[in-house]
Amino acid sequence: VLNLAINITGQKIKEQKLKQLYERKKALTKKSSGPDIKVSEKAREKQIEKITALFEEHMQDFKYTDVSYLIKIYKGDLEKIKNIVKLYLKSIPEQLIELSELADSSTWNYLRSKSSALRSKMGYIGLRLLNDTAKKIETNCEKKINLEEIQDLIDKMADSWKIAEKELKIILLLKR
């Protein structure tokens, strides 16, 4: 009888713990309405303002980089912005080399495609001038016009990238 009572009591305790865990999980995942949403929106806006001010303080002299789009889409999350910047610091130099090799081999359709992909990246991280240059390469390849200028455009983009790269590396040094 004692064993039966212990088993029943143990079962009830397990059920109670499971119920508590379920209620806790339910409370955490519950979509709130009313004041809680306003508080989180205000907190998010405040975080965006803080990060924007931090970026503006350090980037007022930047020649190529404008990270306002990244701040907006990542809601001021500095770590996410840094992660994107790290990825692009690694991949863009490789893509510039690839563009140059494609221009040397006169593979215009493939060069157009690669230039388009690079243009998207440049726009995403706020490198407007480099974005425009990549667009020009893309258009020239697509229309098969001014093909003799393409290598010069790639070289111009690579030179501009050297400055933009230094600007982007400063972002990695920022702290909240």
Side-chain angles (χ1 to χ4, degrees), residues 87-155:
L87 287 171
Y88 284 12
L89 282 170
K90 183 177 185 227
S91 66
I92 289 175
E94 295 166 357
Q95 287 181 289
L96 288 169
I97 291 168
E98 186 176 22
L99 286 184
S100 189
E101 290 169 353
L102 289 170
D104 288 342
S105 66
S106 302
T107 316
W108 307 121
N109 285 333
Y110 197 52
L111 178 60
R112 182 200 57 75
S113 173
K114 290 295 184 174
S115 180
S116 178
L118 185 59
R119 179 175 59 89
S120 297
K121 282 185 176 182
M122 298 296 190
Y124 188 68
I125 56 173
L127 301 173
R128 305 271 185 259
L129 181 64
L130 281 81
N131 176 288
D132 293 344
T133 306
K135 175 66 176 165
K136 190 169 186 177
I137 294 168
E138 183 183 351
T139 301
N140 289 0
C141 288
E142 183 178 359
K143 295 181 179 181
K144 306 279 191 284
I145 58 170
N146 302 320
L147 298 175
E148 68 281 354
E149 294 177 8
I150 288 179
Q151 188 59 55
D152 289 338
L153 291 169
I154 293 169
D155 292 343

Side-chain angles (χ1 to χ4, degrees), residues 16-64:
Q16 285 176 337
K17 286 184 179 181
L18 285 173
K19 188 174 180 179
Q20 286 173 343
L21 287 172
Y22 173 76
E23 293 298 324
R24 214 178 286 157
K25 181 180 178 186
K26 188 175 162 184
L28 289 173
T29 58
K30 180 182 173 187
K31 295 197 179 207
S32 59
S33 59
D36 289 347
I37 289 176
K38 289 180 182 175
V39 170
S40 65
E41 286 175 9
K42 286 181 182 179
R44 189 177 324 119
E45 287 173 13
K46 197 169 198 161
Q47 181 179 4
I48 290 172
E49 287 173 11
K50 182 180 176 184
I51 295 298
T52 301
L54 178 67
F55 276 100
E56 287 173 355
E57 175 186 337
H58 292 280
M59 295 171 206
Q60 59 191 341
D61 296 324
F62 278 13
K63 185 174 180 180
Y64 293 106

